[in-house]
Amino acid sequence: METGKVVEIIGAVIDVQFPREAMPNIFDALLIEEGDLTLEVQQQIGDGIVRTIAMGTTDGLKRGLDVKNTGAPMSVPVGEKTLGRIMNVLGQPVDNAGPIQADKKKCLYIERRQHFQNKHLKLSF
């Protein structure tokens, strides 16, 4: 996992700089371990900087914090054991019924990625 640094914080929008050769992909999950915060990449700005959305509060964050790229999009538990459970976008339970013991996790964007990968564009002029 590559490590970057927080360079700007504007509310829930956080810009993170990585080495140019190690820029995260769009939708990759990033982790700020010091604040136990997950970020999701929304835009590659350039010069190794990505714009992200925080999946929690940014109170107390400061520039210069280390950010790790997970190399994968966010995923949530799926299957029978999730039925009737309430979880946040990170797949963490918020219903006070204990941990979710699901066997599988799925990416939030898998259907969208497959949808676009299977499209064949025809250009006509």
Side-chain angles (χ1 to χ4, degrees), residues 86-101:
I86 301 171
M87 64 185 98
N88 63 17
V89 71
L90 300 173
Q92 300 163 334
V94 294
D95 57 4
N96 297 322
I100 298 173
Q101 302 295 331

